[in-house]
């Protein structure tokens, strides 16, 4: 997630996901500290203790994470989704998955 606008969108996405029974958010990852702090606060309000990360690769190395939601700027969707799948995580990616067929493969 990037700036304030994307944070508002991520909040809507999180609120929708939190309606899924038994879902637990274990981590939040954002290069912008203010967004990580906001997301952590939001998740704590739902009784989720999410570990903050700035580097998505470090987050993907965590054994506590089974799945990821990719809601980053769309030009890095393929990079982040592919890295998550290579790390053995299930992936929900906002559209578009990729900008080229090669990236999608």
């Amino acid at each position: 997630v990037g700036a304030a606008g994307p944070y508002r969108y991520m909040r809507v996405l999180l609120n929708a996901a939190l309606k899924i029974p038994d879902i637990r958010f274990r981590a939040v990852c954002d290069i912008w500290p203010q967004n990580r702090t906001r997301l952590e606060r939001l998740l704590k309000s739902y009784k989720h203790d999410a570990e903050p990360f700035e580097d998505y690769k470090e987050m993907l190395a965590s054994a506590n994470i089974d799945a990821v939601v990719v809601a980053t700027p769309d030009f890095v969707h393929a990079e982040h989704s592919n890295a998550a799948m290579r790390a053995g995580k299930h992936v929900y990616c906002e559209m578009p998955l990729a900008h080229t067929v090669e990236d999608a493969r």
Side-chain angles (χ1 to χ4, degrees):
V1 179
Y7 165 74
R8 283 192 292 275
Y9 178 73
M10 188 63 187
R11 189 179 63 212
V12 170
L13 184 62
L14 282 171
N15 281 321
L18 287 166
K19 293 176 183 173
I20 300 169
D22 300 322
I23 197 166
R24 297 290 307 156
F25 281 90
R26 301 284 183 201
V28 294
C29 185
D30 198 306
I31 61 170
W32 302 107
Q34 68 274 17
N35 287 345
R36 278 195 312 277
T37 302
R38 290 174 180 171
L39 291 169
E40 283 179 90
R41 228 179 292 132
L42 174 66
L43 288 167
K44 280 185 197 275
S45 74
Y46 286 99
K47 309 288 191 261
H48 291 248
D49 289 321
E51 185 178 354
F53 288 91
E54 181 177 333
D55 183 338
Y56 75 94
K57 292 174 185 172
E58 288 179 25
M59 182 189 72
L60 293 175
S62 173
N64 291 335
I65 298 171
D66 298 317
V68 298
V69 175
V70 177
T72 53
D74 63 6
F75 65 91
V76 289
H77 281 182
E79 174 187 340
H80 294 166
S81 295
N82 282 316
M85 288 182 275
R86 281 192 301 275
K89 313 300 182 189
H90 299 279
V91 176
Y92 171 89
C93 182
E94 290 293 300
M95 64 180 208
L97 170 62
H99 286 205
T100 67
V101 173
E102 292 79 26
D103 285 345
R105 287 189 177 125

